[in-house]
Amino acid sequence: MDVKVFRTFLELAQVRHFGKAAENLYITQAAVSARIKQLESYFDTQLFIRDRNNIKLTSSGERLISYAEVMVSTLQQAKMELSLENGKGLQLTLGGTPNVWDAYLQNCLSLVTDEFDGYGFIAEIMGREALTRNLQERTLDMAFAFDQIKADELYCKKVADVVLTLVSTKPDCLESVFTGKYVYVDWGTKFASEHAERHAKVPAPYLRTSNARIALDFILEKGGSAYLPTPLVEPFIVSGQLYEVSEVPAWCRPIYLSYRKASTSIEAIRQVEEMAKTIDPVSGFSFQQMAD
């Protein structure tokens, strides 16, 4: 079956409107209806409940989403890999959690792509569960995360350390810093448990986020505090926009690389792994520009 049918199904499942799906896919509304009917006929089940102004997924439609996503992603990756010219070797797909990109992987990607001249790369931001699933489904070659991804078919190795510093927009100390606008940044599940032990009696955070960019921008605009990568906050400390909170030691967080043991790209992945171990956790280009 044509992958376009599954793309149409996923688009309609997201927007829940035939006209909007047709507009987003640059096809007619009749073509959208025809493709959905083709899917329903193939699986011999109803995928959508169609009311006049409301479209809902049936239970069968809900179950089909994950399979359709895998099929579209797999075929897209295969198409891109097969389109590479002979002699360019391979294409690698790298994925990481949002904060790994902010703290380390953006700069790592820049250096790796320079070293692997002529190779193709795909970069993805995913949650930990999505990283695990895509590794196992072979749609992702390498996954970077603050938590270990463990499975019998995977290697999981530490490649770097990120040092976090508790900073505030005003001079502050441990006794009072959490009473203001403290932004809790998700640096992994182990960080969460250690945070609870280190700061057992602090109030609930003013804001929670999985993105260092959100935390930094928020406290610079609104005031507050957060644990952020030291290389990221150093320029702001120098300029007097941020202050290191006294009596709070720096916090070291490991970054892990996971990949399939039987990957067809194992040699290139190991080259990236060795290179990643030598790269200092430095903020990405846009962060550096913002600091300047």
Side-chain angles (χ1 to χ4, degrees):
M1 181 175 290
D2 194 332
V3 69
K4 293 178 182 178
V5 176
F6 291 98
R7 287 200 184 100
T8 303
F9 165 75
L10 290 173
E11 185 65 32
L12 184 59
Q14 180 177 354
V15 301
R16 306 296 176 92
H17 191 280
F18 279 88
K20 290 180 181 178
E23 182 178 349
N24 293 344
L25 294 169
Y26 301 99
I27 59 177
T28 65
Q29 188 168 330
V32 173
S33 298
R35 291 177 182 180
I36 297 304
K37 289 180 180 178
Q38 183 181 353
L39 265 183
E40 290 179 329
S41 176
Y42 181 82
F43 290 110
D44 193 24
T45 186
Q46 186 176 3
L47 300 174
F48 293 95
I49 298 174
R50 302 165 177 80
D51 293 331
R52 178 175 297 179
N53 296 315
N54 191 21
I55 297 176
K56 297 180 180 179
L57 282 163
T58 64
S59 59
S60 296
E62 293 281 0
R63 289 196 298 271
L64 182 59
I65 286 179
S66 60
Y67 294 104
E69 289 174 340
V70 170
M71 180 169 291
V72 170
S73 176
T74 302
L75 289 176
Q76 181 179 7
Q77 184 179 7
K79 182 179 180 180
M80 293 185 70
E81 288 185 355
L82 293 174
S83 68
L84 292 174
E85 295 178 11
N86 292 334
K88 288 193 175 181
L90 56 101
Q91 178 171 279
L92 290 176
T93 303
L94 291 78
T97 54
N99 274 337
V100 167
W101 280 104
D102 288 339
Y104 169 76
L105 194 51
Q106 187 68 50
N107 183 58
C108 180
L109 176 66
S110 177
L111 298 177
V112 167
T113 52
D114 285 343
E115 185 71 17
F116 283 73
D117 184 40
Y119 284 55
F121 287 85
I122 297 177
E124 300 285 0
I125 298 176
M126 301 179 185
R128 186 176 180 276
E129 291 183 359
L131 289 174
T132 304
R133 184 175 65 252
N134 281 269
L135 280 173
Q136 294 174 334
E137 292 173 350
R138 301 176 181 272
T139 59
L140 186 67
D141 294 308
M142 312 175 71
F144 293 82
F146 283 104
D147 295 312
Q148 297 185 60
I149 300 177
K150 295 182 177 180
D152 291 339
E153 68 272 27
L154 302 177
Y155 287 121
C156 183
K157 302 179 181 181
K158 176 183 168 182
V159 291
D161 285 301
V162 171
V163 178
L164 304 177
T165 299
L166 181 58
V167 294
S168 177
T169 50
K170 63 180 181 179
D172 216 329
C173 63
L174 181 60
E175 293 182 358
S176 58
V177 67
F178 294 106
T179 60
K181 294 179 180 178
Y182 173 60
V183 179
Y184 177 89
V185 186
D186 180 10
W187 296 107
T189 54
K190 191 172 183 181
F191 172 82
S193 61
E194 292 181 5
H195 188 283
E197 294 177 2
R198 181 182 278 205
H199 307 298
K201 298 181 180 180
V202 301
Y206 187 83
L207 172 68
R208 289 177 178 267
T209 179
S210 62
N211 191 297
R213 294 170 181 264
I214 293 175
L216 177 62
D217 189 67
F218 182 87
I219 65 174
L220 287 174
E221 180 183 0
K222 301 292 186 181
S225 59
Y227 274 104
L228 293 170
T230 302
L232 170 62
V233 298
E234 280 179 341
F236 297 95
I237 294 174
V238 172
S239 67
Q241 294 173 273
L242 293 175
Y243 299 85
E244 187 174 349
V245 178
S246 60
E247 305 172 8
V248 180
W251 202 336
C252 187
R253 306 305 310 156
I255 293 177
Y256 298 96
L257 165 63
S258 299
Y259 56 91
R260 295 187 307 278
K261 296 177 180 178
S263 173
T264 56
S265 305
I266 194 71
E267 292 185 7
I269 291 173
R270 285 176 174 164
Q271 290 180 50
V272 174
E273 176 190 346
E274 292 305 311
M275 187 175 178
K277 293 177 181 178
T278 67
I279 297 173
D280 292 330
V282 177
S283 302
F285 180 76
S286 60
F287 265 150
Q288 296 176 33
Q289 293 293 102
M290 183 170 65
D292 292 340

